Amino acid sequence: MGFSGFPARPTKWQPSLYPIRAPFRFLEEEEANMPQGDKSAYTDKQKRKAAHIEEGYEKKGVSKDEAESRAWATVNKDDGGGKKSGSGRGKDTGHPASHKGGKKGGEASASRSAAERSASAKKAAATRKRNAEHSAQH
């Protein structure tokens, strides 16, 4: 064997004798990957959508960081990520995440009888009344 593992004089071409070297180039700073959390690649509409989703999660009591994380995951699921160049990119995505709303509750109430739904509604109304009276006292 010759220098650095190469045979001194190969008798015929043997691909396994030569290491495969991929072309390498230095990346300019602009070409390097965006840091995680950089939202500059998203459209204004996607940013508004994420903010709206985040507000909804915060109203439900989810922490600020978790709400933001879930909101951007939902935007990515709906739209496939940030801006992309090229033609045909503006096609409808179907918004899969937004189609789930109401489905779960609808299925649950459909499986209950009218009497059960009525009893549940009366209980909810009583709870709301009780909570309103409680908050009025404080």
Side-chain angles (χ1 to χ4, degrees):
M1 289 273 169
F3 177 71
S4 73
F6 289 99
R9 288 195 179 159
T11 52
K12 64 177 185 173
W13 171 250
Q14 294 175 327
S16 62
L17 296 177
Y18 299 94
I20 297 172
R21 295 182 61 159
F24 181 83
R25 66 184 183 98
F26 291 97
L27 294 175
E28 298 295 325
E29 273 195 37
E30 299 86 42
E31 293 177 323
N33 290 337
M34 289 190 306
Q36 196 169 0
D38 185 4
K39 305 301 181 202
S40 63
Y42 289 88
T43 63
D44 289 340
K45 184 175 181 180
Q46 288 172 319
K47 290 175 185 176
R48 289 192 307 270
K49 185 177 185 180
H52 181 71
I53 293 167
E54 186 178 342
E55 283 176 26
Y57 277 122
E58 286 174 3
K59 282 183 182 177
K60 290 181 181 179
V62 177
S63 73
K64 174 92 175 125
D65 289 342
E66 179 64 18
E68 182 182 8
S69 177
R70 289 184 188 184
W72 283 109
T74 304
V75 169
N76 288 338
K77 181 178 180 180
D78 276 358
D79 301 343
K83 294 180 202 168
K84 296 188 175 104
S85 62
S87 66
R89 295 292 193 169
K91 294 185 178 175
D92 183 31
T93 61
H95 306 292
S98 61
H99 286 288
K100 285 188 177 177
K103 185 178 180 189
K104 292 177 182 175
E107 287 176 352
S109 63
S111 65
R112 299 183 338 198
S113 69
E116 286 176 318
R117 289 195 308 271
S118 178
S120 178
K122 287 176 184 174
K123 182 180 176 186
T127 301
R128 283 192 297 273
K129 183 178 179 184
R130 208 171 43 250
N131 288 344
E133 290 169 358
H134 180 73
S135 62
Q137 291 174 359
H138 285 42

